[in-house]
Amino acid sequence: MTTETTYQLLDGKQTSNDIKEELAIEVEKISKSGGTIPHLAAVLVGDDGASETYVNAKVKACEKIGFKSSLYRYPSSIAEDALLSKIEELNNDDSLHGFIVQLPLPDHIDEQKVKEAVSPEKDVDGFHPENVGKMALNLPTFISATPYGIVQLLERYSIETSGKNCVVIGRSHIVGLPMSILMARKAKPGNCTVTVCHSRTQNIKEFTLNADIVIVALGSAEFLTGDMVKDGAVVIDVGITRVKDDSKKSGYRLVGDVKFDEVAPKCSYITPVPGGVGPMTIASLLKNTLQAAKSS
Ligand code: GUN
């Protein structure tokens, strides 16, 4: 029998604003004591609308809290070598503490090469294999912004994870893979029994119905439906897809990987889209940048 619960929204917008306020206070302290102001650079290749929105939001967030920021834009025709040279230049630029290369990149550029070219000390995205390895081993490092944001959301809402069944849907290097490691780590939040479901998983519902926590990072609009979730589950929606909607001024609306209207009434906690995981990603990147500046 299905019982409707009153769910609580995991408000990523509010939580990220709280974190940004905390960071702004730290910047002010640093500034007053004559310390180094954190400086983040972003590299944007091509003119993908979503990437542009994300990068602009990252730069704007830096300005808002008093970080320095730089944006380097290149056409999608940029040669791989030229991009790698720019990365080398940023690695050696002592005026910046961290930088990111926004993904995805055009097909002629090898993303793995790019990730490995970024100096691990400036890799505030946490994508370098050295930093992924440290994260897996629970050593201090930069944790990728989206998974780090989710962990902070769980922490700030005091959601118990220890001993819980957690299903992560998706195994991308940016979200699913690090998320599954973080939830299984001997840490708080963590200590979950984690199952990773992906494109080859047969009957995902069998797994999700047994999950106390479901983290969906597929990029497939409204994939997780009400019949796939057990009562009282915590549901984290990482997806954000633009769906055509003529009633909106922009011509589209944003939809998550979760069929919210069906799933939310069964949940104890759920993230909205927009206003859930997205804003937390930016707050986490800023936290990583402060950490980079402090250890420079
Ligand atoms: N594309 C989607 N998410 C991310 C992210 O967290 N960092 C970068 N660099 N690119 C992304």
Side-chain angles (χ1 to χ4, degrees), residues 111-136:
E111 280 188 2
Q112 192 55 34
K113 253 195 207 169
V114 167
K115 288 178 188 169
E116 291 183 27
V118 177
S119 153
E121 292 77 35
K122 291 194 174 179
D123 172 38
V124 284
D125 256 332
F127 290 166
H128 191 286
E130 187 178 311
N131 288 331
V132 178
K134 284 184 175 173
M135 183 265 302

PDB file of all heavy atoms in Angstrom, residues 111-136:
ATOM      1  N   GLU A 111      38.868  14.826 -24.004  1.00  0.00           N
ATOM      2  CA  GLU A 111      38.569  15.381 -22.673  1.00  0.00           C
ATOM      3  C   GLU A 111      39.499  14.827 -21.591  1.00  0.00           C
ATOM      4  O   GLU A 111      39.876  15.529 -20.662  1.00  0.00           O
ATOM      5  CB  GLU A 111      37.108  15.088 -22.292  1.00  0.00           C
ATOM      6  CG  GLU A 111      36.138  16.046 -22.951  1.00  0.00           C
ATOM      7  CD  GLU A 111      34.710  15.925 -22.464  1.00  0.00           C
ATOM      8  OE1 GLU A 111      34.413  15.107 -21.552  1.00  0.00           O
ATOM      9  OE2 GLU A 111      33.858  16.637 -23.018  1.00  0.00           O
ATOM     10  N   GLN A 112      39.836  13.565 -21.729  1.00  0.00           N
ATOM     11  CA  GLN A 112      40.706  12.961 -20.720  1.00  0.00           C
ATOM     12  C   GLN A 112      42.072  13.643 -20.695  1.00  0.00           C
ATOM     13  O   GLN A 112      42.631  13.916 -19.633  1.00  0.00           O
ATOM     14  CB  GLN A 112      40.840  11.452 -20.974  1.00  0.00           C
ATOM     15  CG  GLN A 112      41.478  10.667 -19.837  1.00  0.00           C
ATOM     16  CD  GLN A 112      40.774  10.859 -18.494  1.00  0.00           C
ATOM     17  OE1 GLN A 112      39.554  11.022 -18.431  1.00  0.00           O
ATOM     18  NE2 GLN A 112      41.535  10.877 -17.405  1.00  0.00           N
ATOM     19  N   LYS A 113      42.585  13.950 -21.903  1.00  0.00           N
ATOM     20  CA  LYS A 113      43.874  14.657 -22.004  1.00  0.00           C
ATOM     21  C   LYS A 113      43.789  16.007 -21.301  1.00  0.00           C
ATOM     22  O   LYS A 113      44.711  16.423 -20.607  1.00  0.00           O
ATOM     23  CB  LYS A 113      44.202  14.907 -23.488  1.00  0.00           C
ATOM     24  CG  LYS A 113      45.306  14.045 -24.044  1.00  0.00           C
ATOM     25  CD  LYS A 113      45.763  14.649 -25.366  1.00  0.00           C
ATOM     26  CE  LYS A 113      46.323  13.586 -26.270  1.00  0.00           C
ATOM     27  NZ  LYS A 113      46.536  14.088 -27.646  1.00  0.00           N
ATOM     28  N   VAL A 114      42.662  16.675 -21.513  1.00  0.00           N
ATOM     29  CA  VAL A 114      42.455  17.998 -20.911  1.00  0.00           C
ATOM     30  C   VAL A 114      42.427  17.873 -19.377  1.00  0.00           C
ATOM     31  O   VAL A 114      43.082  18.625 -18.667  1.00  0.00           O
ATOM     32  CB  VAL A 114      41.155  18.640 -21.461  1.00  0.00           C
ATOM     33  CG1 VAL A 114      40.731  19.853 -20.643  1.00  0.00           C
ATOM     34  CG2 VAL A 114      41.344  19.017 -22.931  1.00  0.00           C
ATOM     35  N   LYS A 115      41.684  16.891 -18.890  1.00  0.00           N
ATOM     36  CA  LYS A 115      41.594  16.702 -17.428  1.00  0.00           C
ATOM     37  C   LYS A 115      42.975  16.435 -16.825  1.00  0.00           C
ATOM     38  O   LYS A 115      43.294  16.905 -15.743  1.00  0.00           O
ATOM     39  CB  LYS A 115      40.677  15.517 -17.108  1.00  0.00           C
ATOM     40  CG  LYS A 115      39.211  15.785 -17.353  1.00  0.00           C
ATOM     41  CD  LYS A 115      38.437  14.517 -17.044  1.00  0.00           C
ATOM     42  CE  LYS A 115      36.987  14.598 -17.426  1.00  0.00           C
ATOM     43  NZ  LYS A 115      36.327  13.289 -17.357  1.00  0.00           N
ATOM     44  N   GLU A 116      43.778  15.667 -17.552  1.00  0.00           N
ATOM     45  CA  GLU A 116      45.098  15.311 -17.023  1.00  0.00           C
ATOM     46  C   GLU A 116      46.103  16.440 -17.180  1.00  0.00           C
ATOM     47  O   GLU A 116      47.142  16.442 -16.527  1.00  0.00           O
ATOM     48  CB  GLU A 116      45.599  14.026 -17.701  1.00  0.00           C
ATOM     49  CG  GLU A 116      44.763  12.836 -17.267  1.00  0.00           C
ATOM     50  CD  GLU A 116      45.225  11.514 -17.838  1.00  0.00           C
ATOM     51  OE1 GLU A 116      46.420  11.379 -18.143  1.00  0.00           O
ATOM     52  OE2 GLU A 116      44.377  10.614 -17.983  1.00  0.00           O
ATOM     53  N   ALA A 117      45.787  17.411 -18.049  1.00  0.00           N
ATOM     54  CA  ALA A 117      46.712  18.528 -18.262  1.00  0.00           C
ATOM     55  C   ALA A 117      46.607  19.565 -17.136  1.00  0.00           C
ATOM     56  O   ALA A 117      47.558  20.296 -16.866  1.00  0.00           O
ATOM     57  CB  ALA A 117      46.412  19.191 -19.603  1.00  0.00           C
ATOM     58  N   VAL A 118      45.448  19.615 -16.486  1.00  0.00           N
ATOM     59  CA  VAL A 118      45.253  20.594 -15.406  1.00  0.00           C
ATOM     60  C   VAL A 118      46.069  20.152 -14.187  1.00  0.00           C
ATOM     61  O   VAL A 118      45.979  19.001 -13.756  1.00  0.00           O
ATOM     62  CB  VAL A 118      43.750  20.699 -15.027  1.00  0.00           C
ATOM     63  CG1 VAL A 118      43.542  21.646 -13.857  1.00  0.00           C
ATOM     64  CG2 VAL A 118      42.914  21.137 -16.235  1.00  0.00           C
ATOM     65  N   SER A 119      46.840  21.064 -13.652  1.00  0.00           N
ATOM     66  CA  SER A 119      47.645  20.736 -12.477  1.00  0.00           C
ATOM     67  C   SER A 119      46.725  20.324 -11.318  1.00  0.00           C
ATOM     68  O   SER A 119      45.757  21.042 -11.012  1.00  0.00           O
ATOM     69  CB  SER A 119      48.465  21.966 -12.101  1.00  0.00           C
ATOM     70  OG  SER A 119      48.758  21.944 -10.745  1.00  0.00           O
ATOM     71  N   PRO A 120      46.994  19.188 -10.660  1.00  0.00           N
ATOM     72  CA  PRO A 120      46.101  18.737  -9.575  1.00  0.00           C
ATOM     73  C   PRO A 120      45.895  19.795  -8.486  1.00  0.00           C
ATOM     74  O   PRO A 120      44.830  19.858  -7.887  1.00  0.00           O
ATOM     75  CB  PRO A 120      46.827  17.508  -9.010  1.00  0.00           C
ATOM     76  CG  PRO A 120      47.674  17.020 -10.134  1.00  0.00           C
ATOM     77  CD  PRO A 120      48.074  18.224 -10.939  1.00  0.00           C
ATOM     78  N   GLU A 121      46.886  20.657  -8.282  1.00  0.00           N
ATOM     79  CA  GLU A 121      46.767  21.704  -7.239  1.00  0.00           C
ATOM     80  C   GLU A 121      45.768  22.793  -7.632  1.00  0.00           C
ATOM     81  O   GLU A 121      45.288  23.536  -6.786  1.00  0.00           O
ATOM     82  CB  GLU A 121      48.117  22.386  -6.969  1.00  0.00           C
ATOM     83  CG  GLU A 121      49.163  21.513  -6.316  1.00  0.00           C
ATOM     84  CD  GLU A 121      49.805  20.540  -7.295  1.00  0.00           C
ATOM     85  OE1 GLU A 121      49.989  20.910  -8.480  1.00  0.00           O
ATOM     86  OE2 GLU A 121      50.096  19.397  -6.886  1.00  0.00           O
ATOM     87  N   LYS A 122      45.523  22.920  -8.946  1.00  0.00           N
ATOM     88  CA  LYS A 122      44.577  23.955  -9.406  1.00  0.00           C
ATOM     89  C   LYS A 122      43.274  23.361  -9.930  1.00  0.00           C
ATOM     90  O   LYS A 122      42.398  24.076 -10.413  1.00  0.00           O
ATOM     91  CB  LYS A 122      45.237  24.796 -10.507  1.00  0.00           C
ATOM     92  CG  LYS A 122      46.371  25.657  -9.969  1.00  0.00           C
ATOM     93  CD  LYS A 122      46.786  26.702 -10.950  1.00  0.00           C
ATOM     94  CE  LYS A 122      47.808  27.621 -10.318  1.00  0.00           C
ATOM     95  NZ  LYS A 122      48.269  28.659 -11.258  1.00  0.00           N
ATOM     96  N   ASP A 123      43.142  22.054  -9.794  1.00  0.00           N
ATOM     97  CA  ASP A 123      42.006  21.328 -10.360  1.00  0.00           C
ATOM     98  C   ASP A 123      40.788  21.398  -9.438  1.00  0.00           C
ATOM     99  O   ASP A 123      40.391  20.404  -8.818  1.00  0.00           O
ATOM    100  CB  ASP A 123      42.455  19.870 -10.579  1.00  0.00           C
ATOM    101  CG  ASP A 123      41.324  18.958 -10.970  1.00  0.00           C
ATOM    102  OD1 ASP A 123      40.442  19.393 -11.727  1.00  0.00           O
ATOM    103  OD2 ASP A 123      41.320  17.787 -10.504  1.00  0.00           O
ATOM    104  N   VAL A 124      40.185  22.591  -9.357  1.00  0.00           N
ATOM    105  CA  VAL A 124      39.057  22.781  -8.441  1.00  0.00           C
ATOM    106  C   VAL A 124      37.795  22.022  -8.887  1.00  0.00           C
ATOM    107  O   VAL A 124      36.826  21.920  -8.138  1.00  0.00           O
ATOM    108  CB  VAL A 124      38.755  24.276  -8.211  1.00  0.00           C
ATOM    109  CG1 VAL A 124      39.770  24.889  -7.275  1.00  0.00           C
ATOM    110  CG2 VAL A 124      38.706  25.048  -9.524  1.00  0.00           C
ATOM    111  N   ASP A 125      37.820  21.451 -10.096  1.00  0.00           N
ATOM    112  CA  ASP A 125      36.746  20.560 -10.559  1.00  0.00           C
ATOM    113  C   ASP A 125      36.921  19.146  -9.997  1.00  0.00           C
ATOM    114  O   ASP A 125      35.992  18.336 -10.064  1.00  0.00           O
ATOM    115  CB  ASP A 125      36.781  20.455 -12.090  1.00  0.00           C
ATOM    116  CG  ASP A 125      35.681  21.268 -12.761  1.00  0.00           C
ATOM    117  OD1 ASP A 125      34.639  21.454 -12.149  1.00  0.00           O
ATOM    118  OD2 ASP A 125      35.900  21.676 -13.911  1.00  0.00           O
ATOM    119  N   GLY A 126      38.113  18.849  -9.516  1.00  0.00           N
ATOM    120  CA  GLY A 126      38.388  17.506  -8.986  1.00  0.00           C
ATOM    121  C   GLY A 126      38.333  16.418 -10.035  1.00  0.00           C
ATOM    122  O   GLY A 126      37.986  15.271  -9.734  1.00  0.00           O
ATOM    123  N   PHE A 127      38.670  16.729 -11.280  1.00  0.00           N
ATOM    124  CA  PHE A 127      38.580  15.761 -12.385  1.00  0.00           C
ATOM    125  C   PHE A 127      39.890  15.030 -12.656  1.00  0.00           C
ATOM    126  O   PHE A 127      39.904  14.010 -13.346  1.00  0.00           O
ATOM    127  CB  PHE A 127      38.167  16.474 -13.688  1.00  0.00           C
ATOM    128  CG  PHE A 127      36.737  16.966 -13.719  1.00  0.00           C
ATOM    129  CD1 PHE A 127      36.320  17.865 -14.693  1.00  0.00           C
ATOM    130  CD2 PHE A 127      35.803  16.528 -12.785  1.00  0.00           C
ATOM    131  CE1 PHE A 127      35.005  18.320 -14.739  1.00  0.00           C
ATOM    132  CE2 PHE A 127      34.493  16.984 -12.820  1.00  0.00           C
ATOM    133  CZ  PHE A 127      34.094  17.878 -13.798  1.00  0.00           C
ATOM    134  N   HIS A 128      41.011  15.570 -12.174  1.00  0.00           N
ATOM    135  CA  HIS A 128      42.302  14.923 -12.453  1.00  0.00           C
ATOM    136  C   HIS A 128      42.337  13.545 -11.773  1.00  0.00           C
ATOM    137  O   HIS A 128      41.880  13.407 -10.634  1.00  0.00           O
ATOM    138  CB  HIS A 128      43.442  15.808 -11.923  1.00  0.00           C
ATOM    139  CG  HIS A 128      44.790  15.358 -12.385  1.00  0.00           C
ATOM    140  ND1 HIS A 128      45.423  14.243 -11.877  1.00  0.00           N
ATOM    141  CD2 HIS A 128      45.613  15.852 -13.346  1.00  0.00           C
ATOM    142  CE1 HIS A 128      46.576  14.084 -12.493  1.00  0.00           C
ATOM    143  NE2 HIS A 128      46.721  15.043 -13.388  1.00  0.00           N
ATOM    144  N   PRO A 129      42.892  12.524 -12.469  1.00  0.00           N
ATOM    145  CA  PRO A 129      42.912  11.175 -11.876  1.00  0.00           C
ATOM    146  C   PRO A 129      43.533  11.149 -10.472  1.00  0.00           C
ATOM    147  O   PRO A 129      43.078  10.372  -9.613  1.00  0.00           O
ATOM    148  CB  PRO A 129      43.759  10.359 -12.858  1.00  0.00           C
ATOM    149  CG  PRO A 129      43.698  11.095 -14.145  1.00  0.00           C
ATOM    150  CD  PRO A 129      43.472  12.545 -13.831  1.00  0.00           C
ATOM    151  N   GLU A 130      44.525  11.997 -10.240  1.00  0.00           N
ATOM    152  CA  GLU A 130      45.151  12.028  -8.910  1.00  0.00           C
ATOM    153  C   GLU A 130      44.130  12.458  -7.846  1.00  0.00           C
ATOM    154  O   GLU A 130      44.071  11.886  -6.757  1.00  0.00           O
ATOM    155  CB  GLU A 130      46.322  13.023  -8.951  1.00  0.00           C
ATOM    156  CG  GLU A 130      47.157  13.017  -7.698  1.00  0.00           C
ATOM    157  CD  GLU A 130      48.342  13.984  -7.823  1.00  0.00           C
ATOM    158  OE1 GLU A 130      49.066  13.944  -8.846  1.00  0.00           O
ATOM    159  OE2 GLU A 130      48.530  14.783  -6.896  1.00  0.00           O
ATOM    160  N   ASN A 131      43.315  13.429  -8.198  1.00  0.00           N
ATOM    161  CA  ASN A 131      42.315  13.909  -7.234  1.00  0.00           C
ATOM    162  C   ASN A 131      41.147  12.927  -7.082  1.00  0.00           C
ATOM    163  O   ASN A 131      40.599  12.774  -5.991  1.00  0.00           O
ATOM    164  CB  ASN A 131      41.819  15.296  -7.638  1.00  0.00           C
ATOM    165  CG  ASN A 131      42.885  16.358  -7.398  1.00  0.00           C
ATOM    166  OD1 ASN A 131      43.716  16.219  -6.497  1.00  0.00           O
ATOM    167  ND2 ASN A 131      42.886  17.403  -8.211  1.00  0.00           N
ATOM    168  N   VAL A 132      40.782  12.250  -8.171  1.00  0.00           N
ATOM    169  CA  VAL A 132      39.723  11.226  -8.080  1.00  0.00           C
ATOM    170  C   VAL A 132      40.218  10.095  -7.168  1.00  0.00           C
ATOM    171  O   VAL A 132      39.470   9.601  -6.307  1.00  0.00           O
ATOM    172  CB  VAL A 132      39.338  10.683  -9.480  1.00  0.00           C
ATOM    173  CG1 VAL A 132      38.284   9.589  -9.358  1.00  0.00           C
ATOM    174  CG2 VAL A 132      38.828  11.804 -10.376  1.00  0.00           C
ATOM    175  N   GLY A 133      41.478   9.728  -7.333  1.00  0.00           N
ATOM    176  CA  GLY A 133      42.068   8.664  -6.502  1.00  0.00           C
ATOM    177  C   GLY A 133      42.088   9.059  -5.035  1.00  0.00           C
ATOM    178  O   GLY A 133      41.719   8.270  -4.158  1.00  0.00           O
ATOM    179  N   LYS A 134      42.475  10.301  -4.766  1.00  0.00           N
ATOM    180  CA  LYS A 134      42.515  10.767  -3.364  1.00  0.00           C
ATOM    181  C   LYS A 134      41.109  10.771  -2.769  1.00  0.00           C
ATOM    182  O   LYS A 134      40.918  10.390  -1.613  1.00  0.00           O
ATOM    183  CB  LYS A 134      43.118  12.173  -3.303  1.00  0.00           C
ATOM    184  CG  LYS A 134      44.623  12.191  -3.480  1.00  0.00           C
ATOM    185  CD  LYS A 134      45.131  13.607  -3.310  1.00  0.00           C
ATOM    186  CE  LYS A 134      46.642  13.646  -3.351  1.00  0.00           C
ATOM    187  NZ  LYS A 134      47.150  15.033  -3.342  1.00  0.00           N
ATOM    188  N   MET A 135      40.141  11.195  -3.585  1.00  0.00           N
ATOM    189  CA  MET A 135      38.747  11.221  -3.103  1.00  0.00           C
ATOM    190  C   MET A 135      38.325   9.803  -2.712  1.00  0.00           C
ATOM    191  O   MET A 135      37.751   9.585  -1.649  1.00  0.00           O
ATOM    192  CB  MET A 135      37.861  11.777  -4.219  1.00  0.00           C
ATOM    193  CG  MET A 135      36.402  11.950  -3.904  1.00  0.00           C
ATOM    194  SD  MET A 135      35.383  10.577  -4.400  1.00  0.00           S
ATOM    195  CE  MET A 135      35.687  10.478  -6.130  1.00  0.00           C
ATOM    196  N   ALA A 136      38.662   8.829  -3.571  1.00  0.00           N
ATOM    197  CA  ALA A 136      38.270   7.438  -3.295  1.00  0.00           C
ATOM    198  C   ALA A 136      38.916   6.926  -2.008  1.00  0.00           C
ATOM    199  O   ALA A 136      38.327   6.122  -1.284  1.00  0.00           O
ATOM    200  CB  ALA A 136      38.644   6.553  -4.477  1.00  0.00           C
TER     201      ALA A 136
END
